[in-house]
PDB file of all heavy atoms in Angstrom:
ATOM      1  N   LEU A   1     -34.250 -15.924 -29.342  1.00  0.00           N
ATOM      2  CA  LEU A   1     -33.416 -15.930 -28.253  1.00  0.00           C
ATOM      3  C   LEU A   1     -33.321 -17.305 -27.501  1.00  0.00           C
ATOM      4  O   LEU A   1     -32.674 -17.381 -26.368  1.00  0.00           O
ATOM      5  CB  LEU A   1     -33.742 -14.865 -27.068  1.00  0.00           C
ATOM      6  CG  LEU A   1     -33.620 -13.413 -27.845  1.00  0.00           C
ATOM      7  CD1 LEU A   1     -34.090 -12.363 -26.914  1.00  0.00           C
ATOM      8  CD2 LEU A   1     -32.162 -13.040 -28.126  1.00  0.00           C
ATOM      9  N   ARG A   2     -34.081 -18.237 -27.946  1.00  0.00           N
ATOM     10  CA  ARG A   2     -34.199 -19.536 -27.309  1.00  0.00           C
ATOM     11  C   ARG A   2     -34.738 -19.504 -25.942  1.00  0.00           C
ATOM     12  O   ARG A   2     -34.232 -20.159 -24.969  1.00  0.00           O
ATOM     13  CB  ARG A   2     -32.917 -20.294 -27.554  1.00  0.00           C
ATOM     14  CG  ARG A   2     -32.535 -20.504 -28.985  1.00  0.00           C
ATOM     15  CD  ARG A   2     -31.324 -21.391 -29.153  1.00  0.00           C
ATOM     16  NE  ARG A   2     -31.740 -22.834 -29.225  1.00  0.00           N
ATOM     17  CZ  ARG A   2     -31.025 -23.654 -29.758  1.00  0.00           C
ATOM     18  NH1 ARG A   2     -29.821 -23.507 -30.281  1.00  0.00           N
ATOM     19  NH2 ARG A   2     -31.371 -25.041 -29.925  1.00  0.00           N
ATOM     20  N   ASN A   3     -35.588 -18.544 -25.665  1.00  0.00           N
ATOM     21  CA  ASN A   3     -36.255 -18.261 -24.290  1.00  0.00           C
ATOM     22  C   ASN A   3     -35.227 -17.970 -23.236  1.00  0.00           C
ATOM     23  O   ASN A   3     -35.484 -18.356 -22.107  1.00  0.00           O
ATOM     24  CB  ASN A   3     -37.009 -19.488 -24.037  1.00  0.00           C
ATOM     25  CG  ASN A   3     -38.242 -19.659 -25.028  1.00  0.00           C
ATOM     26  OD1 ASN A   3     -38.932 -18.668 -25.419  1.00  0.00           O
ATOM     27  ND2 ASN A   3     -38.450 -20.937 -25.418  1.00  0.00           N
ATOM     28  N   ASP A   4     -34.124 -17.300 -23.510  1.00  0.00           N
ATOM     29  CA  ASP A   4     -33.139 -16.893 -22.603  1.00  0.00           C
ATOM     30  C   ASP A   4     -33.932 -15.980 -21.613  1.00  0.00           C
ATOM     31  O   ASP A   4     -34.233 -15.009 -21.892  1.00  0.00           O
ATOM     32  CB  ASP A   4     -31.916 -16.237 -23.333  1.00  0.00           C
ATOM     33  CG  ASP A   4     -30.915 -15.753 -22.283  1.00  0.00           C
ATOM     34  OD1 ASP A   4     -31.225 -15.745 -21.125  1.00  0.00           O
ATOM     35  OD2 ASP A   4     -29.819 -15.358 -22.807  1.00  0.00           O
ATOM     36  N   PRO A   5     -33.878 -16.369 -20.419  1.00  0.00           N
ATOM     37  CA  PRO A   5     -34.696 -15.711 -19.393  1.00  0.00           C
ATOM     38  C   PRO A   5     -34.089 -14.265 -19.035  1.00  0.00           C
ATOM     39  O   PRO A   5     -34.780 -13.404 -18.651  1.00  0.00           O
ATOM     40  CB  PRO A   5     -34.748 -16.581 -18.060  1.00  0.00           C
ATOM     41  CG  PRO A   5     -33.686 -17.563 -18.250  1.00  0.00           C
ATOM     42  CD  PRO A   5     -33.406 -17.720 -19.763  1.00  0.00           C
ATOM     43  N   ALA A   6     -32.799 -14.169 -19.371  1.00  0.00           N
ATOM     44  CA  ALA A   6     -32.171 -12.790 -19.152  1.00  0.00           C
ATOM     45  C   ALA A   6     -32.550 -11.836 -20.166  1.00  0.00           C
ATOM     46  O   ALA A   6     -32.280 -10.624 -20.047  1.00  0.00           O
ATOM     47  CB  ALA A   6     -30.650 -12.995 -18.938  1.00  0.00           C
ATOM     48  N   LYS A   7     -32.976 -12.324 -21.388  1.00  0.00           N
ATOM     49  CA  LYS A   7     -33.202 -11.368 -22.427  1.00  0.00           C
ATOM     50  C   LYS A   7     -34.700 -11.309 -23.026  1.00  0.00           C
ATOM     51  O   LYS A   7     -35.012 -10.235 -23.637  1.00  0.00           O
ATOM     52  CB  LYS A   7     -32.336 -11.849 -23.630  1.00  0.00           C
ATOM     53  CG  LYS A   7     -30.973 -11.748 -23.436  1.00  0.00           C
ATOM     54  CD  LYS A   7     -30.133 -12.156 -24.656  1.00  0.00           C
ATOM     55  CE  LYS A   7     -28.600 -12.053 -24.437  1.00  0.00           C
ATOM     56  NZ  LYS A   7     -27.989 -12.391 -25.679  1.00  0.00           N
ATOM     57  N   VAL A   8     -35.549 -12.126 -22.527  1.00  0.00           N
ATOM     58  CA  VAL A   8     -36.941 -12.078 -23.037  1.00  0.00           C
ATOM     59  C   VAL A   8     -37.841 -11.228 -22.232  1.00  0.00           C
ATOM     60  O   VAL A   8     -37.681 -11.029 -21.046  1.00  0.00           O
ATOM     61  CB  VAL A   8     -37.634 -13.515 -23.176  1.00  0.00           C
ATOM     62  CG1 VAL A   8     -36.734 -14.344 -24.156  1.00  0.00           C
ATOM     63  CG2 VAL A   8     -37.678 -14.184 -21.723  1.00  0.00           C
ATOM     64  N   PHE A   9     -38.751 -10.509 -22.999  1.00  0.00           N
ATOM     65  CA  PHE A   9     -39.688  -9.618 -22.255  1.00  0.00           C
ATOM     66  C   PHE A   9     -40.985 -10.550 -21.973  1.00  0.00           C
ATOM     67  O   PHE A   9     -41.049 -11.862 -22.378  1.00  0.00           O
ATOM     68  CB  PHE A   9     -40.151  -8.590 -23.215  1.00  0.00           C
ATOM     69  CG  PHE A   9     -39.066  -7.564 -23.479  1.00  0.00           C
ATOM     70  CD1 PHE A   9     -38.652  -7.381 -24.752  1.00  0.00           C
ATOM     71  CD2 PHE A   9     -38.453  -6.856 -22.466  1.00  0.00           C
ATOM     72  CE1 PHE A   9     -37.516  -6.561 -25.042  1.00  0.00           C
ATOM     73  CE2 PHE A   9     -37.392  -6.031 -22.675  1.00  0.00           C
ATOM     74  CZ  PHE A   9     -36.904  -5.772 -23.993  1.00  0.00           C
ATOM     75  N   LYS A  10     -42.010  -9.988 -21.421  1.00  0.00           N
ATOM     76  CA  LYS A  10     -43.172 -10.754 -20.920  1.00  0.00           C
ATOM     77  C   LYS A  10     -43.860 -11.204 -22.303  1.00  0.00           C
ATOM     78  O   LYS A  10     -43.805 -10.574 -23.239  1.00  0.00           O
ATOM     79  CB  LYS A  10     -44.063  -9.877 -20.107  1.00  0.00           C
ATOM     80  CG  LYS A  10     -43.534  -9.644 -18.723  1.00  0.00           C
ATOM     81  CD  LYS A  10     -44.531  -8.798 -17.967  1.00  0.00           C
ATOM     82  CE  LYS A  10     -44.051  -8.516 -16.504  1.00  0.00           C
ATOM     83  NZ  LYS A  10     -44.864  -7.747 -15.763  1.00  0.00           N
ATOM     84  N   PRO A  11     -44.570 -12.352 -22.210  1.00  0.00           N
ATOM     85  CA  PRO A  11     -45.385 -12.848 -23.350  1.00  0.00           C
ATOM     86  C   PRO A  11     -46.422 -11.733 -23.751  1.00  0.00           C
ATOM     87  O   PRO A  11     -46.874 -10.903 -22.968  1.00  0.00           O
ATOM     88  CB  PRO A  11     -46.039 -14.018 -22.766  1.00  0.00           C
ATOM     89  CG  PRO A  11     -45.293 -14.548 -21.651  1.00  0.00           C
ATOM     90  CD  PRO A  11     -44.657 -13.160 -21.021  1.00  0.00           C
ATOM     91  N   ILE A  12     -46.871 -11.828 -24.981  1.00  0.00           N
ATOM     92  CA  ILE A  12     -47.925 -10.890 -25.544  1.00  0.00           C
ATOM     93  C   ILE A  12     -49.244 -11.610 -25.824  1.00  0.00           C
ATOM     94  O   ILE A  12     -49.151 -12.851 -26.029  1.00  0.00           O
ATOM     95  CB  ILE A  12     -47.319 -10.210 -26.829  1.00  0.00           C
ATOM     96  CG1 ILE A  12     -46.848 -11.248 -27.853  1.00  0.00           C
ATOM     97  CG2 ILE A  12     -46.230  -9.294 -26.490  1.00  0.00           C
ATOM     98  CD1 ILE A  12     -46.608 -10.642 -29.165  1.00  0.00           C
ATOM     99  N   ALA A  13     -50.262 -10.869 -25.998  1.00  0.00           N
ATOM    100  CA  ALA A  13     -51.565 -11.330 -26.420  1.00  0.00           C
ATOM    101  C   ALA A  13     -51.517 -11.798 -27.874  1.00  0.00           C
ATOM    102  O   ALA A  13     -50.694 -11.382 -28.634  1.00  0.00           O
ATOM    103  CB  ALA A  13     -52.611 -10.318 -26.248  1.00  0.00           C
ATOM    104  N   HIS A  14     -52.191 -12.994 -28.103  1.00  0.00           N
ATOM    105  CA  HIS A  14     -52.126 -13.587 -29.479  1.00  0.00           C
ATOM    106  C   HIS A  14     -53.101 -12.804 -30.432  1.00  0.00           C
ATOM    107  O   HIS A  14     -54.155 -12.586 -30.186  1.00  0.00           O
ATOM    108  CB  HIS A  14     -52.764 -15.014 -29.300  1.00  0.00           C
ATOM    109  CG  HIS A  14     -52.582 -15.749 -30.545  1.00  0.00           C
ATOM    110  ND1 HIS A  14     -51.538 -16.117 -31.289  1.00  0.00           N
ATOM    111  CD2 HIS A  14     -53.647 -16.336 -31.410  1.00  0.00           C
ATOM    112  CE1 HIS A  14     -51.802 -16.847 -32.448  1.00  0.00           C
ATOM    113  NE2 HIS A  14     -53.037 -16.961 -32.413  1.00  0.00           N
ATOM    114  N   GLU A  15     -52.535 -12.534 -31.596  1.00  0.00           N
ATOM    115  CA  GLU A  15     -53.248 -11.906 -32.668  1.00  0.00           C
ATOM    116  C   GLU A  15     -53.375 -12.946 -33.838  1.00  0.00           C
ATOM    117  O   GLU A  15     -52.462 -13.184 -34.524  1.00  0.00           O
ATOM    118  CB  GLU A  15     -52.509 -10.670 -33.312  1.00  0.00           C
ATOM    119  CG  GLU A  15     -52.505  -9.437 -32.266  1.00  0.00           C
ATOM    120  CD  GLU A  15     -51.792  -8.361 -32.700  1.00  0.00           C
ATOM    121  OE1 GLU A  15     -50.544  -8.424 -33.198  1.00  0.00           O
ATOM    122  OE2 GLU A  15     -52.397  -7.210 -32.851  1.00  0.00           O
ATOM    123  N   SER A  16     -54.636 -13.518 -33.808  1.00  0.00           N
ATOM    124  CA  SER A  16     -54.934 -14.571 -34.737  1.00  0.00           C
ATOM    125  C   SER A  16     -54.980 -14.038 -36.217  1.00  0.00           C
ATOM    126  O   SER A  16     -55.354 -12.850 -36.481  1.00  0.00           O
ATOM    127  CB  SER A  16     -56.263 -15.149 -34.352  1.00  0.00           C
ATOM    128  OG  SER A  16     -56.746 -15.973 -35.337  1.00  0.00           O
ATOM    129  N   THR A  17     -54.665 -14.908 -37.133  1.00  0.00           N
ATOM    130  CA  THR A  17     -54.910 -14.591 -38.492  1.00  0.00           C
ATOM    131  C   THR A  17     -56.233 -14.259 -38.917  1.00  0.00           C
ATOM    132  O   THR A  17     -56.607 -13.556 -39.887  1.00  0.00           O
ATOM    133  CB  THR A  17     -54.247 -15.707 -39.369  1.00  0.00           C
ATOM    134  OG1 THR A  17     -54.931 -16.918 -39.140  1.00  0.00           O
ATOM    135  CG2 THR A  17     -52.757 -15.865 -39.309  1.00  0.00           C
ATOM    136  N   THR A  18     -57.231 -14.889 -38.199  1.00  0.00           N
ATOM    137  CA  THR A  18     -58.651 -14.490 -38.493  1.00  0.00           C
ATOM    138  C   THR A  18     -58.964 -12.998 -38.124  1.00  0.00           C
ATOM    139  O   THR A  18     -59.869 -12.420 -38.700  1.00  0.00           O
ATOM    140  CB  THR A  18     -59.549 -15.457 -37.638  1.00  0.00           C
ATOM    141  OG1 THR A  18     -59.340 -15.362 -36.338  1.00  0.00           O
ATOM    142  CG2 THR A  18     -59.639 -16.795 -38.158  1.00  0.00           C
ATOM    143  N   THR A  19     -58.212 -12.468 -37.219  1.00  0.00           N
ATOM    144  CA  THR A  19     -58.286 -11.110 -36.764  1.00  0.00           C
ATOM    145  C   THR A  19     -57.450 -10.143 -37.751  1.00  0.00           C
ATOM    146  O   THR A  19     -57.989  -9.116 -38.187  1.00  0.00           O
ATOM    147  CB  THR A  19     -57.888 -10.938 -35.380  1.00  0.00           C
ATOM    148  OG1 THR A  19     -58.605 -11.719 -34.511  1.00  0.00           O
ATOM    149  CG2 THR A  19     -58.163  -9.332 -35.005  1.00  0.00           C
ATOM    150  N   THR A  20     -56.329 -10.597 -38.036  1.00  0.00           N
ATOM    151  CA  THR A  20     -55.394  -9.663 -38.740  1.00  0.00           C
ATOM    152  C   THR A  20     -55.635  -9.687 -40.249  1.00  0.00           C
ATOM    153  O   THR A  20     -55.217  -8.737 -40.988  1.00  0.00           O
ATOM    154  CB  THR A  20     -53.881  -9.954 -38.511  1.00  0.00           C
ATOM    155  OG1 THR A  20     -53.603 -11.372 -38.953  1.00  0.00           O
ATOM    156  CG2 THR A  20     -53.599  -9.982 -37.038  1.00  0.00           C
ATOM    157  N   GLY A  21     -56.046 -10.876 -40.787  1.00  0.00           N
ATOM    158  CA  GLY A  21     -56.215 -10.948 -42.232  1.00  0.00           C
ATOM    159  C   GLY A  21     -54.961 -11.413 -42.862  1.00  0.00           C
ATOM    160  O   GLY A  21     -54.845 -11.426 -44.084  1.00  0.00           O
ATOM    161  N   LEU A  22     -53.862 -11.539 -42.124  1.00  0.00           N
ATOM    162  CA  LEU A  22     -52.551 -11.988 -42.723  1.00  0.00           C
ATOM    163  C   LEU A  22     -52.590 -13.556 -42.779  1.00  0.00           C
ATOM    164  O   LEU A  22     -53.363 -14.302 -42.112  1.00  0.00           O
ATOM    165  CB  LEU A  22     -51.348 -11.535 -41.791  1.00  0.00           C
ATOM    166  CG  LEU A  22     -51.357  -9.962 -41.616  1.00  0.00           C
ATOM    167  CD1 LEU A  22     -50.247  -9.660 -40.531  1.00  0.00           C
ATOM    168  CD2 LEU A  22     -51.017  -9.331 -42.831  1.00  0.00           C
ATOM    169  N   HIS A  23     -51.844 -13.963 -43.727  1.00  0.00           N
ATOM    170  CA  HIS A  23     -51.717 -15.463 -43.961  1.00  0.00           C
ATOM    171  C   HIS A  23     -50.275 -15.977 -43.911  1.00  0.00           C
ATOM    172  O   HIS A  23     -49.356 -15.180 -44.391  1.00  0.00           O
ATOM    173  CB  HIS A  23     -52.452 -15.826 -45.209  1.00  0.00           C
ATOM    174  CG  HIS A  23     -53.908 -15.498 -45.078  1.00  0.00           C
ATOM    175  ND1 HIS A  23     -54.743 -16.382 -44.372  1.00  0.00           N
ATOM    176  CD2 HIS A  23     -54.720 -14.584 -45.623  1.00  0.00           C
ATOM    177  CE1 HIS A  23     -56.036 -15.702 -44.383  1.00  0.00           C
ATOM    178  NE2 HIS A  23     -55.924 -14.654 -45.198  1.00  0.00           N
ATOM    179  N   HIS A  24     -49.936 -17.193 -43.748  1.00  0.00           N
ATOM    180  CA  HIS A  24     -48.602 -17.747 -43.715  1.00  0.00           C
ATOM    181  C   HIS A  24     -48.296 -18.199 -45.232  1.00  0.00           C
ATOM    182  O   HIS A  24     -48.238 -19.400 -45.583  1.00  0.00           O
ATOM    183  CB  HIS A  24     -48.602 -18.950 -42.706  1.00  0.00           C
ATOM    184  CG  HIS A  24     -48.624 -18.520 -41.394  1.00  0.00           C
ATOM    185  ND1 HIS A  24     -49.804 -18.291 -40.794  1.00  0.00           N
ATOM    186  CD2 HIS A  24     -47.639 -18.124 -40.524  1.00  0.00           C
ATOM    187  CE1 HIS A  24     -49.514 -17.844 -39.441  1.00  0.00           C
ATOM    188  NE2 HIS A  24     -48.149 -17.727 -39.355  1.00  0.00           N
ATOM    189  N   VAL A  25     -48.004 -17.155 -46.111  1.00  0.00           N
ATOM    190  CA  VAL A  25     -47.537 -17.396 -47.444  1.00  0.00           C
ATOM    191  C   VAL A  25     -46.021 -17.295 -47.332  1.00  0.00           C
ATOM    192  O   VAL A  25     -45.366 -17.038 -46.456  1.00  0.00           O
ATOM    193  CB  VAL A  25     -48.239 -16.414 -48.382  1.00  0.00           C
ATOM    194  CG1 VAL A  25     -49.708 -16.661 -48.366  1.00  0.00           C
ATOM    195  CG2 VAL A  25     -48.000 -15.082 -47.882  1.00  0.00           C
ATOM    196  N   ASP A  26     -45.360 -17.535 -48.596  1.00  0.00           N
ATOM    197  CA  ASP A  26     -43.957 -17.558 -48.765  1.00  0.00           C
ATOM    198  C   ASP A  26     -43.425 -16.154 -48.358  1.00  0.00           C
ATOM    199  O   ASP A  26     -44.017 -15.111 -48.689  1.00  0.00           O
ATOM    200  CB  ASP A  26     -43.619 -17.648 -50.292  1.00  0.00           C
ATOM    201  CG  ASP A  26     -42.202 -17.714 -50.550  1.00  0.00           C
ATOM    202  OD1 ASP A  26     -41.498 -18.443 -49.795  1.00  0.00           O
ATOM    203  OD2 ASP A  26     -41.572 -17.203 -51.547  1.00  0.00           O
ATOM    204  N   GLY A  27     -42.518 -16.171 -47.334  1.00  0.00           N
ATOM    205  CA  GLY A  27     -41.784 -14.901 -46.913  1.00  0.00           C
ATOM    206  C   GLY A  27     -42.560 -14.287 -45.690  1.00  0.00           C
ATOM    207  O   GLY A  27     -42.076 -13.321 -45.095  1.00  0.00           O
ATOM    208  N   THR A  28     -43.644 -14.905 -45.216  1.00  0.00           N
ATOM    209  CA  THR A  28     -44.278 -14.392 -43.956  1.00  0.00           C
ATOM    210  C   THR A  28     -43.406 -14.569 -42.699  1.00  0.00           C
ATOM    211  O   THR A  28     -42.851 -15.614 -42.604  1.00  0.00           O
ATOM    212  CB  THR A  28     -45.657 -15.012 -43.714  1.00  0.00           C
ATOM    213  OG1 THR A  28     -46.527 -14.718 -44.932  1.00  0.00           O
ATOM    214  CG2 THR A  28     -46.391 -14.532 -42.391  1.00  0.00           C
ATOM    215  N   ILE A  29     -43.386 -13.547 -41.929  1.00  0.00           N
ATOM    216  CA  ILE A  29     -42.710 -13.633 -40.634  1.00  0.00           C
ATOM    217  C   ILE A  29     -43.890 -13.789 -39.572  1.00  0.00           C
ATOM    218  O   ILE A  29     -44.832 -13.137 -39.661  1.00  0.00           O
ATOM    219  CB  ILE A  29     -41.769 -12.624 -40.159  1.00  0.00           C
ATOM    220  CG1 ILE A  29     -41.053 -12.898 -38.891  1.00  0.00           C
ATOM    221  CG2 ILE A  29     -42.379 -11.204 -40.325  1.00  0.00           C
ATOM    222  CD1 ILE A  29     -39.865 -11.812 -38.598  1.00  0.00           C
ATOM    223  N   SER A  30     -43.687 -14.769 -38.571  1.00  0.00           N
ATOM    224  CA  SER A  30     -44.747 -15.030 -37.675  1.00  0.00           C
ATOM    225  C   SER A  30     -44.012 -15.368 -36.191  1.00  0.00           C
ATOM    226  O   SER A  30     -42.889 -15.647 -36.231  1.00  0.00           O
ATOM    227  CB  SER A  30     -45.538 -16.139 -38.223  1.00  0.00           C
ATOM    228  OG  SER A  30     -46.632 -16.466 -37.352  1.00  0.00           O
ATOM    229  N   MET A  31     -44.756 -15.260 -35.223  1.00  0.00           N
ATOM    230  CA  MET A  31     -44.333 -15.576 -33.846  1.00  0.00           C
ATOM    231  C   MET A  31     -44.579 -17.038 -33.491  1.00  0.00           C
ATOM    232  O   MET A  31     -45.588 -17.636 -33.734  1.00  0.00           O
ATOM    233  CB  MET A  31     -45.022 -14.795 -32.856  1.00  0.00           C
ATOM    234  CG  MET A  31     -44.836 -13.224 -32.796  1.00  0.00           C
ATOM    235  SD  MET A  31     -43.037 -12.823 -32.786  1.00  0.00           S
ATOM    236  CE  MET A  31     -42.721 -13.304 -31.013  1.00  0.00           C
ATOM    237  N   ALA A  32     -43.446 -17.683 -33.089  1.00  0.00           N
ATOM    238  CA  ALA A  32     -43.482 -18.997 -32.533  1.00  0.00           C
ATOM    239  C   ALA A  32     -44.163 -18.962 -31.190  1.00  0.00           C
ATOM    240  O   ALA A  32     -43.983 -17.865 -30.519  1.00  0.00           O
ATOM    241  CB  ALA A  32     -42.129 -19.685 -32.443  1.00  0.00           C
ATOM    242  N   ARG A  33     -44.829 -20.031 -30.738  1.00  0.00           N
ATOM    243  CA  ARG A  33     -45.455 -19.986 -29.333  1.00  0.00           C
ATOM    244  C   ARG A  33     -45.768 -21.417 -29.014  1.00  0.00           C
ATOM    245  O   ARG A  33     -45.707 -22.492 -29.767  1.00  0.00           O
ATOM    246  CB  ARG A  33     -46.775 -19.325 -29.470  1.00  0.00           C
ATOM    247  CG  ARG A  33     -47.860 -20.064 -30.442  1.00  0.00           C
ATOM    248  CD  ARG A  33     -49.179 -19.432 -30.145  1.00  0.00           C
ATOM    249  NE  ARG A  33     -50.215 -19.908 -31.100  1.00  0.00           N
ATOM    250  CZ  ARG A  33     -50.943 -21.011 -30.725  1.00  0.00           C
ATOM    251  NH1 ARG A  33     -50.792 -21.638 -29.639  1.00  0.00           N
ATOM    252  NH2 ARG A  33     -51.987 -21.508 -31.593  1.00  0.00           N
ATOM    253  N   TYR A  34     -46.138 -21.588 -27.791  1.00  0.00           N
ATOM    254  CA  TYR A  34     -46.746 -22.904 -27.216  1.00  0.00           C
ATOM    255  C   TYR A  34     -48.134 -22.526 -27.120  1.00  0.00           C
ATOM    256  O   TYR A  34     -48.910 -22.651 -28.188  1.00  0.00           O
ATOM    257  CB  TYR A  34     -46.166 -23.169 -25.861  1.00  0.00           C
ATOM    258  CG  TYR A  34     -44.626 -23.529 -25.958  1.00  0.00           C
ATOM    259  CD1 TYR A  34     -43.731 -22.677 -25.548  1.00  0.00           C
ATOM    260  CD2 TYR A  34     -44.268 -24.760 -26.472  1.00  0.00           C
ATOM    261  CE1 TYR A  34     -42.262 -23.083 -25.556  1.00  0.00           C
ATOM    262  CE2 TYR A  34     -42.819 -25.082 -26.694  1.00  0.00           C
ATOM    263  CZ  TYR A  34     -41.943 -24.297 -26.254  1.00  0.00           C
ATOM    264  OH  TYR A  34     -40.635 -24.514 -26.319  1.00  0.00           O
ATOM    265  N   ALA A  35     -48.760 -22.183 -26.014  1.00  0.00           N
ATOM    266  CA  ALA A  35     -50.173 -21.906 -26.024  1.00  0.00           C
ATOM    267  C   ALA A  35     -50.373 -20.402 -26.502  1.00  0.00           C
ATOM    268  O   ALA A  35     -49.486 -19.621 -26.458  1.00  0.00           O
ATOM    269  CB  ALA A  35     -50.579 -21.970 -24.500  1.00  0.00           C
ATOM    270  N   PRO A  36     -51.632 -20.092 -27.000  1.00  0.00           N
ATOM    271  CA  PRO A  36     -51.941 -18.804 -27.351  1.00  0.00           C
ATOM    272  C   PRO A  36     -51.565 -17.734 -26.192  1.00  0.00           C
ATOM    273  O   PRO A  36     -52.046 -18.029 -25.030  1.00  0.00           O
ATOM    274  CB  PRO A  36     -53.456 -18.754 -27.676  1.00  0.00           C
ATOM    275  CG  PRO A  36     -53.764 -20.268 -28.051  1.00  0.00           C
ATOM    276  CD  PRO A  36     -52.832 -21.112 -27.107  1.00  0.00           C
ATOM    277  N   GLY A  37     -50.948 -16.626 -26.545  1.00  0.00           N
ATOM    278  CA  GLY A  37     -50.625 -15.747 -25.424  1.00  0.00           C
ATOM    279  C   GLY A  37     -49.207 -15.948 -24.831  1.00  0.00           C
ATOM    280  O   GLY A  37     -48.895 -15.404 -23.759  1.00  0.00           O
ATOM    281  N   SER A  38     -48.438 -17.026 -25.337  1.00  0.00           N
ATOM    282  CA  SER A  38     -47.209 -17.304 -24.754  1.00  0.00           C
ATOM    283  C   SER A  38     -46.097 -16.809 -25.480  1.00  0.00           C
ATOM    284  O   SER A  38     -44.880 -17.024 -25.183  1.00  0.00           O
ATOM    285  CB  SER A  38     -47.076 -18.902 -24.572  1.00  0.00           C
ATOM    286  OG  SER A  38     -46.991 -19.475 -25.783  1.00  0.00           O
ATOM    287  N   ALA A  39     -46.272 -16.239 -26.777  1.00  0.00           N
ATOM    288  CA  ALA A  39     -45.224 -15.831 -27.592  1.00  0.00           C
ATOM    289  C   ALA A  39     -44.316 -14.691 -26.894  1.00  0.00           C
ATOM    290  O   ALA A  39     -44.832 -13.763 -26.342  1.00  0.00           O
ATOM    291  CB  ALA A  39     -45.632 -15.235 -28.925  1.00  0.00           C
ATOM    292  N   GLN A  40     -42.897 -14.844 -27.068  1.00  0.00           N
ATOM    293  CA  GLN A  40     -42.060 -13.698 -26.554  1.00  0.00           C
ATOM    294  C   GLN A  40     -41.090 -13.327 -27.675  1.00  0.00           C
ATOM    295  O   GLN A  40     -41.331 -12.282 -28.325  1.00  0.00           O
ATOM    296  CB  GLN A  40     -41.330 -14.366 -25.241  1.00  0.00           C
ATOM    297  CG  GLN A  40     -42.283 -14.630 -24.181  1.00  0.00           C
ATOM    298  CD  GLN A  40     -41.490 -15.125 -23.007  1.00  0.00           C
ATOM    299  OE1 GLN A  40     -41.095 -16.365 -23.018  1.00  0.00           O
ATOM    300  NE2 GLN A  40     -41.264 -14.462 -21.966  1.00  0.00           N
ATOM    301  N   ALA A  41     -40.022 -13.937 -27.908  1.00  0.00           N
ATOM    302  CA  ALA A  41     -38.931 -13.546 -28.817  1.00  0.00           C
ATOM    303  C   ALA A  41     -38.683 -14.529 -29.950  1.00  0.00           C
ATOM    304  O   ALA A  41     -37.895 -14.220 -30.862  1.00  0.00           O
ATOM    305  CB  ALA A  41     -37.613 -13.349 -28.029  1.00  0.00           C
ATOM    306  N   GLU A  42     -39.304 -15.604 -29.972  1.00  0.00           N
ATOM    307  CA  GLU A  42     -39.108 -16.664 -30.961  1.00  0.00           C
ATOM    308  C   GLU A  42     -39.907 -16.363 -32.217  1.00  0.00           C
ATOM    309  O   GLU A  42     -41.158 -16.201 -31.950  1.00  0.00           O
ATOM    310  CB  GLU A  42     -39.219 -18.048 -30.425  1.00  0.00           C
ATOM    311  CG  GLU A  42     -38.653 -18.375 -29.182  1.00  0.00           C
ATOM    312  CD  GLU A  42     -37.183 -17.897 -29.139  1.00  0.00           C
ATOM    313  OE1 GLU A  42     -36.441 -18.351 -29.958  1.00  0.00           O
ATOM    314  OE2 GLU A  42     -36.812 -17.187 -28.225  1.00  0.00           O
ATOM    315  N   PHE A  43     -39.356 -16.465 -33.471  1.00  0.00           N
ATOM    316  CA  PHE A  43     -40.043 -16.062 -34.718  1.00  0.00           C
ATOM    317  C   PHE A  43     -39.705 -16.992 -35.687  1.00  0.00           C
ATOM    318  O   PHE A  43     -38.685 -17.624 -35.620  1.00  0.00           O
ATOM    319  CB  PHE A  43     -39.913 -14.611 -35.077  1.00  0.00           C
ATOM    320  CG  PHE A  43     -38.505 -14.364 -35.395  1.00  0.00           C
ATOM    321  CD1 PHE A  43     -37.970 -14.485 -36.687  1.00  0.00           C
ATOM    322  CD2 PHE A  43     -37.522 -13.864 -34.313  1.00  0.00           C
ATOM    323  CE1 PHE A  43     -36.688 -14.170 -36.955  1.00  0.00           C
ATOM    324  CE2 PHE A  43     -36.291 -13.645 -34.684  1.00  0.00           C
ATOM    325  CZ  PHE A  43     -35.788 -13.806 -35.993  1.00  0.00           C
ATOM    326  N   PHE A  44     -40.463 -17.075 -36.731  1.00  0.00           N
ATOM    327  CA  PHE A  44     -40.049 -17.958 -37.926  1.00  0.00           C
ATOM    328  C   PHE A  44     -40.554 -17.277 -39.280  1.00  0.00           C
ATOM    329  O   PHE A  44     -41.301 -16.323 -39.236  1.00  0.00           O
ATOM    330  CB  PHE A  44     -40.775 -19.365 -37.845  1.00  0.00           C
ATOM    331  CG  PHE A  44     -42.199 -19.275 -37.855  1.00  0.00           C
ATOM    332  CD1 PHE A  44     -42.947 -19.458 -38.950  1.00  0.00           C
ATOM    333  CD2 PHE A  44     -42.934 -19.354 -36.574  1.00  0.00           C
ATOM    334  CE1 PHE A  44     -44.334 -19.591 -39.003  1.00  0.00           C
ATOM    335  CE2 PHE A  44     -44.236 -19.500 -36.684  1.00  0.00           C
ATOM    336  CZ  PHE A  44     -44.992 -19.587 -37.842  1.00  0.00           C
TER     337      PHE A  44
END
């Protein structure tokens, strides 16, 4: 949503790959962020 303030919800806590066991391999979907705990609606 390109951080559209009218559409985004509050940021969420960061779930690190060391905790989840998931990795950024071909086809992985992940959250874009600035600082840890700042992710909202942007993904890659």
Side-chain angles (χ1 to χ4, degrees):
L1 299 173
R2 299 184 89 162
N3 298 315
D4 181 342
K7 293 184 178 179
V8 296
F9 296 119
K10 290 181 180 178
I12 56 169
H14 181 66
E15 290 180 304
S16 168
T17 54
T18 55
T19 303
T20 64
L22 301 171
H23 298 284
H24 290 87
V25 296
D26 187 41
T28 296
I29 183 169
S30 188
M31 293 303 294
R33 67 169 177 87
Y34 292 107
S38 66
Q40 291 177 290
E42 309 313 299
F43 62 90
F44 61 88

